[in-house]
Amino acid sequence: MIDTVVFPVAGLGTRFLPATKAIPKEMLPVVDKPLIQYGVEEAVAAGATRLVFVTGRTKNAIADHFDMAFELETELEQRGKHELLEVARQTVPDGVECLYVRQRQALGLGHAVRCARSLVSGEAFGLILPDDLIDNGGDGVLAQLVRHHEQTGASVISVEEVPREKTSSYGVVDVESFTGRSGRICGMVEKPEPAEAPSNLAIVGRYVLDARIFELLEETRPDQRGEIQITDAIASLLQERPVDAYRFEGRHYDCGSKLGFLQATVDLGRKHPELGGEFSAWLENQ
Ligand code: UTP
C-alpha cells in the first residue's frame, strides 16, 4: 500500500500571472473546487492517509483550505446551512493527515520533491502534480498506478501519447514494449526536440516512486536553467530498479496552461451535477 502522497505546489505559476500573484495556481478553481482538491481526492481514493504539500511563498492559501475554518463553520452552523457546512469541512476526510514543508526557492520540480524527504517514510510514495487534472469516471489515475505497483513492485509513471511536434513541452519516455497498459522504461529525456524524442509518450503528473529517488535527487545536478529535474533523477533510478510507464484511463487537462484550464472548466462544467444541463444548453446557443 502507498500511504504517503507528495504534492509539489511551490511553482511560480508565471503563466497565470497576475492570478497567481498572491495564491498558488493550484488554488485556481475549476468550476467550484480548486485544482489541489481534485488531486487530494484522487490521492485519498488511492488509499493515501498522509498528504505532504511542498509549498512556496503562498503557503497559507493551501494550508487554510485543508484546515478547519472556525468562523465560517460557526456562521454556517448558526444559519442552519448544514450541507454547505459539510462541503466546507470535508476538504480533507477525517483520518487523513496534512503535512507542510517549505521550498524556499523555486529550484525545479526535482528540488521540490527532495524537500519532502524527511516527511516520507522509507517506502514507495505517490507524487501528484495537481495542475495536471485527470477526469475519469471510474478509478482515479493514482489508484491505477498503485495497483500496478502492488502487482509488480516497480516504480510507475503515467504517460499519454502526444503529437510528435509537441514533445519539447514534456518529459518523454522510451519503452521497450507494452503489455496491455504498461511497459518497462529504458530511457527518458526532459523536453526533447521532436527529432531527438525517443517516442511520443509524454509523462503526465502522476507517479509512484521508490524512495531511493531521494538519494538520487541529492546527486542530481541542476540543468541549464538552474532547475533540478525529477526526470534526471528517474533516469538514474531506472539504471538500478524497474520503472514502468502506464497508459492511464482518463482525460488529461494541462491546467498549468490557460488553454488546458479553460478546456477543463468547460468539460467539467458540462458534467456538473447542479449546473451541467443549463450550462450545456447555454453553450449550444453561443
Ligand atoms: P511547472 O513546470 O508547471 O512550473 O511546475 P510553475 O512554476 O508551477 O508554472 P509556470 O511554468 O511558471 O507557469 C509543475 C509542478 O511542479 C511544481 C509546481 O507547483 C507544479 O505543481 N513546482 C515546480 C514546484 O513545486 N517547485 C518548483 O520549483 C517548480
Side-chain angles (χ1 to χ4, degrees), residues 7-17 20 24-26 36 54-56 103 105-113 115 127-132 169 190-191 225 227-229 254-257:
F7 296 90
V9 289
L12 296 178
T14 54
R15 285 170 287 171
F16 274 95
L17 280 168
T20 48
K25 78 176 155 192
E26 291 80 4
I36 187 71
V54 183
T55 59
Q103 184 190 24
Q105 251 187 306
L107 296 177
L109 174 58
H111 181 263
V113 173
C115 293
L127 173 62
I128 289 185
L129 309 193
D131 54 351
D132 277 329
S169 305
E190 185 61 27
K191 302 191 169 64
R225 289 183 302 164
E227 293 189 350
I228 295 179
Q229 299 295 349
D254 174 10
C255 289
S257 79

Side-chain angles (χ1 to χ4, degrees), residues 131-170:
D131 54 351
D132 277 329
L133 178 59
I134 305 174
D135 181 39
N136 175 312
D139 243 2
V141 177
L142 192 68
Q144 296 171 37
L145 302 195
V146 167
R147 222 175 13 251
H148 182 78
H149 169 75
E150 282 169 358
Q151 285 160 4
T152 61
S155 295
V156 201
I157 303 176
S158 64
V159 298
E160 71 173 354
E161 287 181 20
V162 295
R164 263 246 167 217
E165 63 275 14
K166 299 245 167 93
T167 55
S168 60
S169 305
Y170 300 93

Side-chain angles (χ1 to χ4, degrees), residues 170-186:
Y170 300 93
V172 173
V173 298
D174 193 4
V175 176
E176 284 160 11
S177 65
F178 271 91
T179 311
R181 293 195 165 270
S182 66
R184 184 93 351 131
I185 300 178
C186 53

